[in-house]
Amino acid sequence: MKILLATLITIVGIYFIYSKVNSTQKRDKKSKMSIEIEEIDGVSHGDHWGAMFGFVDNIEAKVEPTFEDLEKKMVLPSNVVVYQADYGMVSHKALVKENKLITAFPMLSRTKSILFKINKIVEWRVTDGLEAHIVGAGKDTFSLGFFATDYAEHKKSYQKGDFSEVELSAFAYVVEKSNLENESSSNSEVNVSFAPEFCGYFPSSQLDTEFDYDFIGDVLSLQYFEYQGEKFALFDVQLIQDEDLNFLVPMAVNVKNMRDSDIKVGDKIAGAFWLQGKIKEK
């Protein structure tokens, strides 16, 4: 999963110019349209568990014992039972129907709220539409999509569209220090100059799904925590640095997946992450 930073820098600049202009031009039109719902195949939480335990061959052996910690939280009208296990900064969530496990995934407790305009829902056919990615615009301006950790419970709320305040967080697959000036100048094909404070993200070129992101961002805070015998770094990462569009996301990464062990507050980092979110409870 090698990060091609030079490519990232070029594409992310084009992506943000396009997404900001395109979102502004289509804002009024979108608000009058019904929510588009699409179904997709070929998605799973395999890589997400890899982000939790490091990308090793025995991921199942690490995940399965945690099922014993799951506690029943609620039963949905569809007879789907929601289970959850809490481990401090991380929780596991599972959906079960007719005593059959439908899905299980990790969630990060630390979140950042943002006003989000819902334009499209991409449901997972493999879990009978109980999971989905939500596509739209952060602050009704910049393009964004996230995995909805609460879609099974709040499907009707998401399908109403319009604006919702959502809580976002991320798990990183890989993180390393970034040096924009050196990376851009070392590639003869990149003829673009970026300010040292530049931050950005765009759909990953290294992963199979368009809902994972490559990024360059600034570390605003850093702490460490333990989870299931694994050590994690928890960053607040600035992904857009703009007076009006200030955008940061809490991001956790297994230290096994950090290519630089001496990252500190104030550093610029790069990598790839999985963005998740949920509707903020009122």
Side-chain angles (χ1 to χ4, degrees):
M1 197 189 297
K2 185 178 179 182
I3 303 171
L4 303 178
L5 285 179
T7 303
L8 167 64
I9 294 167
T10 304
I11 298 178
V12 81
I14 298 171
Y15 174 74
F16 272 106
I17 292 170
Y18 169 78
S19 63
K20 188 170 181 178
V21 172
N22 190 55
S23 177
T24 301
Q25 290 176 339
K26 295 187 177 181
R27 191 175 304 153
D28 293 336
K29 182 179 179 181
K30 284 279 188 181
S31 65
K32 299 176 182 178
M33 296 173 62
S34 60
I35 292 296
E36 178 185 355
I37 299 178
E38 177 186 337
E39 293 183 344
I40 58 170
D41 295 307
V43 285
S44 75
H45 290 295
D47 282 342
H48 305 151
W49 289 113
M52 305 308 298
F53 292 105
F55 291 91
V56 294
D57 293 333
N58 61 339
I59 292 294
E60 294 84 359
K62 290 181 175 292
V63 177
E64 287 180 5
T66 69
F67 292 162
E68 297 181 4
D69 299 329
L70 293 169
E71 297 181 359
K72 183 186 292 186
K73 292 297 181 180
M74 67 178 73
V75 180
L76 303 179
S78 57
N79 291 322
V80 172
V81 185
V82 180
Y83 289 86
Q84 190 166 317
D86 297 316
Y87 305 102
M89 198 63 73
V90 174
S91 296
H92 291 186
K93 188 169 184 177
L95 303 180
V96 175
K97 187 172 184 178
E98 297 175 355
N99 295 319
K100 180 181 178 182
L101 179 67
I102 298 174
T103 187
F105 52 85
M107 301 184 298
L108 185 64
S109 300
R110 183 176 173 85
T111 62
K112 179 69 175 177
S113 297
I114 186 173
L115 189 62
F116 189 83
K117 174 66 170 66
I118 301 172
N119 294 330
K120 179 181 177 182
I121 295 172
V122 183
E123 292 187 340
W124 291 24
R125 189 178 283 113
V126 68
T127 53
D128 297 325
L130 290 170
E131 297 180 282
H133 288 99
I134 310 301
V135 183
K139 299 184 179 180
D140 200 21
T141 305
F142 51 89
S143 297
L144 195 64
F146 63 88
F147 173 80
T149 60
D150 60 345
Y151 188 69
E153 302 97 300
H154 300 300
K155 177 181 286 195
K156 290 183 179 179
S157 296
Y158 282 109
Q159 291 180 352
K160 288 179 182 177
D162 206 6
F163 289 92
S164 292
E165 189 170 5
V166 298
E167 297 178 293
L168 299 176
S169 59
F171 288 108
Y173 300 109
V174 63
V175 165
E176 65 184 9
K177 287 185 178 180
S178 170
N179 187 319
L180 274 175
E181 183 179 353
N182 288 348
E183 291 292 342
S184 60
S185 62
S186 65
N187 190 319
S188 59
E189 296 181 3
V190 177
N191 230 357
V192 183
S193 178
F194 289 90
E197 65 271 17
F198 174 79
C199 300
Y201 69 94
F202 82 106
S204 179
S205 60
Q206 305 297 309
L207 298 165
D208 293 335
T209 170
E210 62 182 292
F211 302 106
D212 294 306
Y213 293 95
D214 293 338
F215 77 98
I216 296 174
D218 292 329
V219 177
L220 302 186
S221 70
L222 169 61
Q223 66 184 89
Y224 291 91
F225 66 89
E226 299 286 335
Y227 152 81
Q228 296 293 292
E230 304 285 338
K231 185 177 181 181
F232 275 70
L234 176 62
F235 305 104
D236 278 343
V237 182
Q238 189 86 45
L239 294 176
I240 299 179
Q241 202 165 53
D242 181 279
E243 287 186 9
D244 300 320
L245 303 179
N246 189 41
F247 178 46
L248 66 88
V249 171
M251 188 181 302
V253 59
N254 191 317
V255 296
K256 293 178 181 177
N257 298 333
M258 292 173 61
R259 292 179 176 169
D260 296 291
S261 60
D262 59 341
I263 295 173
K264 61 186 182 300
V265 174
D267 284 345
K268 189 173 291 293
I269 58 175
F273 66 83
W274 171 48
L275 189 65
Q276 58 179 224
K278 60 182 180 180
I279 293 176
K280 185 174 181 179
E281 295 183 7
K282 297 180 179 179

